[in-house]
Structure formats: structure tokens, C-alpha cells
Amino acid sequence: MKNQHTIAIGLMTFAMFLGAGNIIFPPFLGLEAGTMYLPAMLGFLVTAVGLPALTLVVFGRLSDSAQLTKALPQPLAIAFWVLLFTAVGPAFAMPRAVTVAYEMGIKPFVEGDHLLVFSIIFVTATLLLAFQRGKLVDYIGKIMTPILVIMLALLAIAAFIQPLGPLSVPTLDYQQRAVTSGLIQGYMTMDAIAAVGFGWIIIKAIRDRGCESNKDIFNATLKVTLVYALLMSACYLAMAYVGATSASIADGATNGGELLTRYVAAVFGPFGQYLLAGIIIMACLTTTVGLTDACAEYYQQTFRSPFNLTATIVVVLTGIIANFGLDQILKVSLPAILILCPVAITLVLTAMILPTTKRYSAPYVIIVLISLVLGSLDALHILELLPESLTAILSQYLPLFDAHGSWFIPVFAAIMISKALNRESEL
């Protein structure tokens, strides 16, 4: 694959991952980390960028997104994909992108409630871009992403050349365990689950550029992933540095969005709000286009559903939920996301070590069930729905429970035991 195609697909990948949350979350982390900014970001990047990058590399090695669940019984595999694309599509990520784009990109400049009008325009733009299947790399990778990168670069350059102040004093968590806190916060971006969804688009884009053999697809995926990882890491580092040097304007700020809004106003004046609005709207749009395309691609390949019909249903549901039921649907979809993320990462880790064939159906099912049960405990813990007495017991006896990763060690142990048993059966 030509280098220009690699860069374009890498830029498209970066833009699809770069939602509003990826921009507004790091400044608050940087503010809390302060002088411990570098070790905190080291941990953050391992999970926030490393896990999605690992997922994409595994997809490249498999050369076919559907291979990830091939070893599972078909009903279980279909249930996983349908739940995943529902959660990262019209039930959670996409409506949230619409509302965040409106709240930060439009609402500060208008009076009254114009969410309905904005959402109609936004989802229509999403649909029109998603319809351009063969040109998605051209529109997002070659046009929209360079514009987005330039706007982000303005923020980053200003932060490093003219910071608002010295690095802030870290909070207690970052004073005592900066790397660990960064690891936890990076995992909580949940971008690993998005990577599983975006894998369908990225592998297809690579195939469409002439890569046919497994080796060529894998090599191209490695290069694309490198472009994504470098750009996303640079974005996270810059946005976190903005927060780490903005203690002078942070009094009373409760989230990264507030902090970033104050920062652009202090550094760029009235122009800053327009710059931030452009960044947020562009980031949300590239994400919703990518998610729409991923959902429609899966349903077309699996159920022969017409691509345009599926894409239309996805964006219509997104617009409806964004206007009339986002708070209610979040109560159901957020726990689903928190549970599905460990399952998705488990499938990726298992596919790295065990063959994705029906012969391994039983080990795959057992490993997935372990991640499902323990991932559910972690989700209940995050949502503060566990009794305090049970939380205290699990915190004491279940490794990584306080880091929301109690599933990891049992899952990894089950994978290695399955691999060892397979070796013995082959001898």
C-alpha cells in the first residue's frame, strides 16, 4: 500500500477515535496530576492509546474483523456484535456526541434551545458522509482530519509557548500513585471497545487500497496504527499540559470542558470560543460518521442488510435519542458499555494467544464468561451500586478490583491454562 494511503487511513483512524471526550477529559487529568504530569500521562497513554492500538494490530493479524469471534458459538458471537454496535452506536456514543457538539459548539452562541434543529443538521451531515463509503478515507483522512489537526495544533503550540502558569500541585492520588492513576483513567476512556467497532472500517479501507494477502494487511495495519498512536498521544499530551498549567483559572471548574473553555478565552480571547467550537463539532462529526459506517458495515456483512438502510436507521435513532431520551437510555447503555469493554478486550487478548477456530470454542466461552462475570462486578463498582460491605470484601481479596480491572488476572490465567492444555494435547 502506498505511503499516502497509509497516512490517509491513519488520519481517518485518528479522527474517528478523537471524540469530544478525548479532548475535554485530559485537561482535567493534567490539572490533577500537576507536577506529576509525565508519569501520570505515561500510565494514561499505555491504556488510552495502547489498548486501542493493540486491538487494531490484532485485527490486522486476523485480516478479517469477524475472525475475532469465530471461535464462539454463532448466537453468542452475534449477540456480542449486536450489543457492541448498539451501545457504541445509537444507544450511547452517537447521541452523546450530538449533545456534546451542541452544548460546547453551538449553545454558547445562541439563546434558547435549538438542539432539535442542530441534531437534524448534524445527523444529516453524518448520514451524507457515511453514504460515501468508498470516499470515506478521502473526506475524513484527507480533508477533515488535517483541518482538525491544525486547530488542535493552535491550542497545543499556545500551551507550550505561553503557558498560563507553572505546573500545578498534584492531588493526593497523583502524589502517591501517578502511573497507576493514569492507567486507570486511560482504561476508563473505553476506547478499546471503539477500536473493536472501528476495526471493520479500517480493515475494509486497507483492503480497498489493494492489500489482499494476510501479510500485506497486517503490515499496512501496523503502519496505520502507528500514525493513529502518534497523533493521539500528541493530542493527549498537549491537552493534559493545558490543564497542568492552568491552575490560575481552574478555581471552581468541575470538568475538562469548563477548564478548556476558560483556557481558550484567556489565551485567544473571543476567537478562542469559536476555535474550541470548531474542534468539538469536527471531532464529534468524524466520530459519528465512523460509528455509523462501522454499524452499517457489520449488518451488511452479517445479515446482508442494505448499507444505506442500516445507516439511515442508525442516524435517525441517534437523533431521536439525543433529543428525547438520552438520560434514560444512558441508565441502560452505560452499564452495558462498562460490561462489554472487558469482554471486548478479553476477546482481543485471547485472539492474540489462542487460534480463532471452532476447536477452541469451549475455552473461548469459559474465558468470555469469566470476563463477563467479573466485568459486571467492576461495572457495578464504578456505578456505585454494590453494597459497601461487599465492596470492602472484594477490595481486600480480589486483585485489581479498586482499579476496575478485577477481570484481567483471572482472564489472563485462563488464557494461559488453555494454551498449556492445548500444547499437551498436541504432544
Side-chain angles (χ1 to χ4, degrees):
M1 189 166 70
K2 295 180 180 179
N3 287 337
Q4 64 187 44
H5 292 153
T6 300
I7 293 172
I9 297 174
L11 288 171
M12 179 190 76
T13 303
F14 164 70
M16 290 191 303
F17 274 102
L18 189 69
N22 303 85
I23 297 171
I24 64 179
F25 176 70
F28 204 70
L29 183 151
L31 176 66
E32 292 188 327
T35 55
M36 299 302 290
Y37 158 80
L38 286 178
M41 288 308 296
L42 174 64
F44 181 83
L45 293 178
V46 168
T47 45
V49 179
L51 284 176
L54 176 64
T55 300
L56 296 180
V57 169
V58 170
F59 269 80
R61 189 169 75 86
L62 296 175
S63 301
D64 181 2
S65 304
Q67 288 287 326
L68 186 69
T69 55
K70 186 178 179 181
L72 294 175
Q74 189 176 22
L76 189 58
I78 290 175
F80 168 76
W81 287 114
V82 170
L83 285 171
L84 183 142
F85 282 118
T86 300
V88 303
F92 176 70
M94 290 179 63
R96 183 170 176 269
V98 175
T99 55
V100 170
Y102 173 74
E103 291 289 337
M104 295 194 65
I106 300 297
K107 193 173 181 179
F109 307 104
V110 297
E111 294 182 1
D113 185 0
H114 302 281
L115 176 60
L116 178 60
V117 175
F118 173 79
S119 62
I120 292 172
I121 296 171
F122 192 89
V123 298
T124 300
T126 296
L127 188 61
L128 291 175
L129 286 169
F131 279 169
Q132 310 300 316
R133 297 176 65 194
K135 298 181 180 179
L136 202 61
V137 173
D138 294 326
Y139 283 117
I140 296 183
K142 296 181 181 179
I143 300 174
M144 297 173 71
T145 310
I147 295 173
L148 182 58
V149 168
I150 290 170
M151 291 191 291
L152 286 169
L154 289 175
L155 289 183
I157 292 170
F160 285 100
I161 291 180
Q162 193 176 5
L164 292 178
L167 294 174
S168 57
V169 177
T171 61
L172 187 61
D173 277 348
Y174 286 96
Q175 287 178 12
Q176 296 178 343
R177 47 173 194 164
V179 176
T180 303
S181 295
L183 283 167
I184 295 170
Q185 295 303 320
Y187 171 73
M188 290 304 295
T189 63
M190 300 289 167
D191 271 1
I193 195 171
V196 174
F198 287 144
W200 289 78
I201 307 172
I202 296 162
I203 297 301
K204 183 180 184 301
I206 290 171
R207 286 185 179 276
D208 289 346
R209 295 306 181 277
C211 293
E212 294 294 339
S213 70
N214 291 349
K215 181 180 179 182
D216 287 344
I217 292 172
F218 179 63
N219 289 336
T221 305
L222 282 178
K223 295 175 183 177
V224 166
T225 302
L226 180 61
V227 173
Y228 149 75
L230 289 174
L231 286 173
M232 189 61 81
S233 296
C235 177
Y236 279 144
L237 287 168
M239 293 301 102
Y241 189 76
V242 166
T245 56
S246 297
S248 60
I249 58 169
D251 188 36
T254 58
N255 58 66
E258 289 183 38
L259 188 59
L260 202 52
T261 299
R262 295 180 188 183
Y263 171 81
V264 295
V267 174
F268 296 99
F271 167 73
Q273 190 62 57
Y274 292 101
L275 174 64
L276 182 59
I279 291 172
I280 296 298
I281 291 174
M282 186 79 76
C284 289
L285 183 60
T286 54
T287 298
T288 56
V289 171
L291 290 172
T292 300
D293 199 81
C295 292
E297 191 69 42
Y298 167 74
Y299 278 98
Q300 183 182 55
Q301 290 191 26
T302 307
F303 303 108
R304 305 301 179 201
S305 173
F307 182 93
N308 288 357
L309 174 62
T310 305
T312 302
I313 292 172
V314 167
V315 299
V316 169
L317 288 174
T318 296
I320 292 172
I321 293 171
N323 278 274
F324 301 111
L326 184 58
D327 289 340
Q328 289 72 26
I329 204 70
L330 283 178
K331 293 178 182 178
V332 177
S333 59
L334 181 57
I337 286 278
L338 295 173
I339 294 170
L340 280 170
C341 193
V343 174
I345 297 173
T346 293
L347 285 169
V348 170
L349 294 174
T350 309
M352 282 179 57
I353 300 171
L354 298 179
T356 56
T357 61
K358 289 296 183 183
R359 177 184 175 186
Y360 289 85
S361 182
Y364 262 80
V365 170
I366 292 170
I367 293 167
V368 166
L369 286 176
I370 292 172
S371 69
L372 182 62
V373 172
L374 295 178
S376 298
L377 278 178
D378 287 331
L380 292 172
H381 183 209
I382 293 168
L383 297 169
E384 299 181 349
L385 296 176
L386 287 177
E388 290 186 9
S389 57
L390 180 58
T391 299
I393 294 171
L394 293 174
S395 180
Q396 184 175 358
Y397 295 105
L398 194 58
L400 299 181
F401 178 75
D402 289 334
H404 314 309
S406 62
W407 57 273
F408 179 74
I409 293 177
V411 160
F412 188 73
I415 293 172
M416 299 313 295
I417 290 170
S418 297
K419 185 174 179 63
L421 292 175
N422 175 62
R423 280 182 177 174
E424 289 183 6
S425 64
E426 290 178 349
L427 294 177

